[in-house]
Amino acid sequence: MKLVTFNDNQVGRIADDQVLELDTASTREFFERDRAVPETGRRYPLADVRLRAPIVPKKFFHTAGNFREHHEDLVRVNWSHPVNKGIVFFQNVDAIIGPEEPIVYPSHLTSELDYELELAIVLGKPGKFFGAEQAAEHIGGYLVFNDITARDIQRREMESGVFSFSKAIETFCPIGPYIVTADEIEDPHNLDMELRVNGDVRQKSNTGRMSVSIPQLIAYHSPQTYSAGDLITTGTIAGVAASTEDPFANYLKPGDVVEAEIEGIGVLRNPVVSWQDAHGTPPPAADQWV
């Protein structure tokens, strides 16, 4: 099943280029009700609906450094800090946007806006303190996540060993385009991944290159207590702008269009726009205390 949130935050599933509306207030509720949700009988042509962020989780667990190739890529260009496996933190759910929604470039805060293609896991049911062998029964589905990062802010944060602000600014968490339920994905550890900026391939890899498997990640986070509909990210792959020979030629800028694609999960497309175009005013002055 491809589960979507659309139009006025209605919930539905995609079938034969149609969206079949489901009788639930949100995709979180869909999982909270153990998917026992009937259809309303209303159908909409897929081409005529506006897809929204497919879910707003209660908790958004972020995993960094899970693809060794990303760490090695940054070491090669002498990035300021290592990005080894084991970096975990919470994401900001209020920064979530959906497909085709603009990533707003906050030029008063950063001049190094980067992309990071990641697979995200949707928790299908609550749970806590379980092992990897029980993890599969907690997977509700998967979606594409583009972890937008302000690298200049991140470098300052990493001096203390923790980073979060650099990834949690408004519009920095595109997810979508829909949730593909777990039964649709035969092997989540063998999915091709590709991120494009203006059609140019920047990142290309496969989920099979994770250092820590999906069941291990889910079990690791479980002491923090899952609610149905929570999200876990699995880390990005090689090819971020910061790891290129000329990062400033590759950092995102207004006018760019980013397409983040994972085999079987879909294409998440987002334009990058200036603060002025997004808000109709110049960027405000940035308060700094660090």
Side-chain angles (χ1 to χ4, degrees):
M1 179 187 300
K2 290 183 173 65
L3 188 65
V4 297
T5 300
F6 67 101
N7 291 355
D8 296 321
N9 292 317
Q10 297 149 270
V11 177
R13 66 180 183 90
I14 297 174
D16 298 324
D17 295 324
Q18 298 277 312
V19 176
L20 283 57
E21 188 181 42
L22 299 175
D23 189 13
T24 182
S26 69
T27 48
R28 268 179 60 189
E29 183 182 280
F30 173 86
F31 290 110
E32 289 167 351
R33 291 166 59 182
D34 197 24
R35 311 184 197 187
V37 174
E39 295 176 7
T40 66
R42 289 186 286 270
R43 295 179 172 227
Y44 304 82
L46 178 59
D48 293 344
V49 305
R50 178 176 179 184
L51 296 183
R52 307 289 185 174
I55 196 165
V56 178
K58 185 177 180 181
K59 297 185 293 299
F60 193 153
F61 302 90
H62 196 123
T63 305
N66 192 25
F67 284 79
R68 184 70 182 170
E69 63 188 54
H70 175 51
H71 165 75
E72 292 171 349
D73 225 18
L74 292 171
V75 168
R76 178 178 51 79
V77 296
N78 198 30
W79 175 249
S80 61
H81 296 79
V83 184
N84 290 310
K85 68 179 182 180
I87 301 173
V88 296
F89 56 93
F90 282 114
Q91 259 291 2
N92 172 20
V93 298
D94 290 330
I96 288 174
I97 60 173
E100 302 295 340
E101 290 190 78
I103 300 163
V104 180
Y105 190 117
S107 56
H108 57 303
L109 299 177
T110 181
S111 60
E112 300 181 30
L113 196 65
D114 211 343
Y115 47 81
E116 291 191 2
L117 169 59
E118 303 193 26
L119 175 69
I121 305 152
V122 183
L123 274 298
K125 68 177 187 177
K128 56 187 174 181
F129 292 106
F130 56 82
E133 62 277 6
Q134 284 86 44
E137 64 190 70
H138 290 268
I139 301 174
Y142 304 92
L143 52 76
V144 181
F145 170 49
N146 186 1
D147 179 23
I148 302 298
T149 306
R151 296 296 184 195
D152 36 9
I153 298 174
Q154 185 185 34
R155 282 196 298 274
R156 294 196 299 269
E157 289 188 291
M158 290 181 78
E159 291 176 4
S160 67
V162 177
F163 52 87
S164 178
F165 187 94
S166 58
K167 295 172 175 286
I169 296 168
E170 184 185 29
T171 75
F172 276 26
C173 291
I175 62 172
Y178 31 67
I179 297 167
V180 178
T181 53
D183 58 296
E184 296 275 331
I185 303 301
E186 182 177 352
D187 183 2
H189 298 99
N190 186 26
L191 303 175
D192 288 334
M193 307 173 70
E194 183 175 287
L195 182 137
R196 301 175 293 275
V197 178
N198 304 326
D200 179 42
V201 176
R202 300 287 184 84
Q203 293 184 279
K204 192 174 182 67
S205 191
N206 186 280
T207 56
R209 297 180 183 175
M210 292 183 197
S211 298
V212 181
S213 71
I214 289 171
Q216 288 174 310
L217 281 177
I218 295 172
Y220 179 81
H221 283 287
S222 69
Q224 298 179 87
T225 306
Y226 293 130
S227 299
D230 285 348
L231 294 181
I232 302 174
T233 69
T234 56
T236 195
I237 57 180
V240 299
S243 69
T244 62
E245 297 301 323
D246 186 0
F248 282 93
N250 294 293
Y251 285 135
L252 296 173
K253 59 186 182 300
D256 286 343
V257 175
V258 189
E259 293 175 306
E261 181 173 6
I262 299 177
E263 180 185 4
I265 310 296
V267 180
L268 173 62
R269 183 182 183 275
N270 298 93
V272 182
V273 304
S274 69
W275 182 280
Q276 178 77 44
D277 286 344
H279 297 283
T281 60
D287 289 326
Q288 296 287 345
W289 59 274
V290 291

